[in-house]
Amino acid sequence: MANTFLDLTLLIIIFHFFLTTLSKNLTTILTDQFALLALKDHVIQDPGNVLATNWSSSTPVCNWFGVSCGSNHRKVTALNLTGLGFVGTLPPHLGNLSFLSLLSIKDNSFHGRLPVQLSNLHRMKHIDLGNNSFSGEIPSWLGSLTQLQVLRLYYNNFNGVIPFSLGYLQKLEELSLYGNKLSGSIPSFVFNISSQFYT
């Protein structure tokens, strides 16, 4: 009788652990899916119908066009939507892609300001927003993305000065800012970038 009780207790504990783990993984991938569907909703022109035909809740997120996921955790790690002719804005929900390390949406027509929620993406290593129409000042919160190695903001409508906070990006190897409406002097930290700096 005691062994049966222990076996039952052990079975309940294992089942609870399994459900908790499954629920956590499901919640995470649903969070990623929700963030990407929010991006889809913010794209007002999709000339190739890429998002309409590929991004659907009936298909696993990791199979969506332009989306890459980690092999172990199956969370979104990269978003590459380069040169697809998209017109739209970036939703704040993208800041919930907690494992995202690469964001490349260059050669589109995204506009507006960069949402501050992107500052939550602490695993980010590569951002390429080049050749779009983003505006406003270059956000100082970019300096909080301490894993960042590549930051390309060229050919947009950014104005103001280069934020001093970019000097906190100790791993930065490339900074591309040319083709914007920047003013002021170039901060001294940019000369410490290990590889390339373009203004």
Side-chain angles (χ1 to χ4, degrees):
M1 181 77 166
N3 283 343
T4 303
F5 178 74
L6 285 174
D7 290 343
L8 184 59
T9 303
L10 184 59
L11 185 60
I12 290 171
I13 290 170
I14 291 171
F15 185 70
H16 176 73
F17 176 77
F18 173 76
L19 283 181
T20 303
T21 304
L22 180 64
S23 173
K24 182 179 177 185
N25 288 340
L26 187 59
T27 300
T28 302
I29 199 64
L30 287 177
T31 301
D32 287 1
Q33 182 183 44
F34 180 74
L36 293 174
L37 288 174
L39 174 60
K40 178 181 176 181
D41 289 343
H42 280 73
V43 172
I44 57 175
Q45 285 184 18
D46 176 6
N49 236 11
V50 173
L51 300 182
T53 57
N54 283 274
W55 287 24
S56 164
S57 56
S58 63
T59 307
V61 172
C62 297
N63 293 341
W64 291 2
F65 179 86
V67 175
S68 299
C69 294
S71 56
N72 293 333
H73 50 67
R74 307 302 295 162
K75 296 175 183 112
V76 175
T77 57
L79 183 59
N80 186 348
L81 300 173
T82 297
L84 296 171
F86 291 157
V87 176
T89 58
L90 295 185
H93 309 82
L94 288 182
N96 294 329
L97 297 173
S98 57
F99 277 75
L100 194 66
S101 63
L102 180 142
L103 175 62
S104 181
I105 56 171
K106 68 180 179 179
D107 301 328
N108 286 290
S109 293
F110 284 101
H111 57 274
R113 295 178 183 263
L114 299 180
V116 67
Q117 290 82 356
L118 295 180
S119 65
N120 296 331
L121 304 176
H122 296 291
R123 289 180 172 87
M124 188 63 73
K125 294 180 180 177
H126 184 114
I127 295 176
D128 193 342
L129 309 179
N131 200 21
N132 279 284
S133 297
F134 291 110
S135 58
E137 294 185 349
I138 295 175
S140 61
W141 53 256
L142 284 167
S144 69
L145 303 177
T146 56
Q147 300 302 309
L148 206 56
Q149 297 170 2
V150 174
L151 179 58
R152 297 180 183 142
L153 303 176
Y154 60 89
Y155 287 127
N156 278 282
N157 294 314
F158 291 113
N159 57 38
V161 298
I162 299 172
F164 178 77
S165 62
L166 295 185
Y168 300 134
L169 302 175
Q170 298 298 313
K171 297 183 179 181
L172 195 63
E173 296 173 4
E174 181 183 334
L175 177 61
S176 299
L177 302 175
Y178 59 89
N180 285 286
K181 302 170 185 173
L182 301 175
S183 59
S185 58
I186 298 174
S188 59
F189 75 83
V190 299
F191 301 107
N192 296 329
I193 295 173
S194 61
S195 185
Q196 301 171 359
F197 170 67
Y198 306 102
T199 57

